[in-house]
Amino acid sequence: MQGLDDALAGVVGWIGENLLIDTVRITLPATGDPVLNEDTGQLEYPEGDVLYEGPGGVQGSSAQAEIVAAPNQNLPWVSETTSRYRLLTPLEAPIAPKDAIITVIAVHDPARTGLLGRSWICTDPGRAGTVEVVRITPLDQMQAEVTP
């Protein structure tokens, strides 16, 4: 349908100009063995393959019900949460597979650096539909290491 295709093209353009304004990276998890870093004395895993680096955005859920507590088998209390986020990428970007790692490597506004340094894991491949204007991929924020 020509009318629908024209309308969707306009929406895709608007989303690209107004929502996909940060730079995101989609990386496959590393598969190699860890290597000892002589300087730090720490084991470091090799970098995974980069599938995509380009325009995108990460949005947090606004619904409190989408933050779920996950009990730890070794503790009598809940120590982690499952935090629902979504990755937005252009339709031309590759579909991020389950367990891919997402990072935001640049933000459009230097005052909004809260997403830098965080990483997310794809909980499912990117969603698909018969009418699409942006690719949406469900994410869970990776928790930082807790040191005693």
Side-chain angles (χ1 to χ4, degrees):
M1 292 179 60
Q2 186 60 36
L4 178 59
D5 291 341
D6 291 342
L8 291 178
V11 172
V12 168
W14 186 91
I15 288 173
E17 292 174 14
N18 295 284
L19 293 180
L20 306 179
I21 51 179
D22 295 325
T23 305
V24 298
R25 180 182 294 148
I26 302 172
T27 309
L28 290 176
T31 57
D33 292 330
V35 176
L36 178 65
N37 181 328
E38 299 286 342
D39 296 331
T40 65
Q42 300 291 319
L43 290 176
E44 296 179 354
Y45 284 90
E47 295 290 321
D49 293 331
V50 175
L51 296 178
Y52 173 76
E53 187 172 303
V58 173
Q59 293 181 325
S61 172
S62 60
Q64 186 67 22
E66 291 201 31
I67 299 176
V68 180
N72 183 318
Q73 64 190 13
N74 298 323
L75 300 174
W77 62 86
V78 173
S79 64
E80 288 190 12
T81 59
T82 300
S83 304
R84 302 290 181 215
Y85 286 79
R86 62 184 79 93
L87 170 67
L88 304 177
T89 52
L91 295 174
E92 300 79 35
I95 295 173
K98 185 177 183 328
D99 298 329
I101 307 299
I102 308 302
T103 53
V104 177
I105 59 171
V107 292
H108 69 285
D109 182 350
R112 295 188 173 183
T113 58
L115 294 177
L116 298 175
R118 296 185 191 189
S119 57
W120 295 265
I121 189 166
C122 294
T123 56
D124 284 309
R127 296 179 179 154
T130 56
V131 178
E132 293 180 305
V133 293
V134 67
R135 177 158 294 117
I136 301 172
T137 304
L139 305 175
D140 180 22
Q141 182 171 298
M142 296 175 71
Q143 301 296 320
E145 292 287 326
V146 178
T147 54

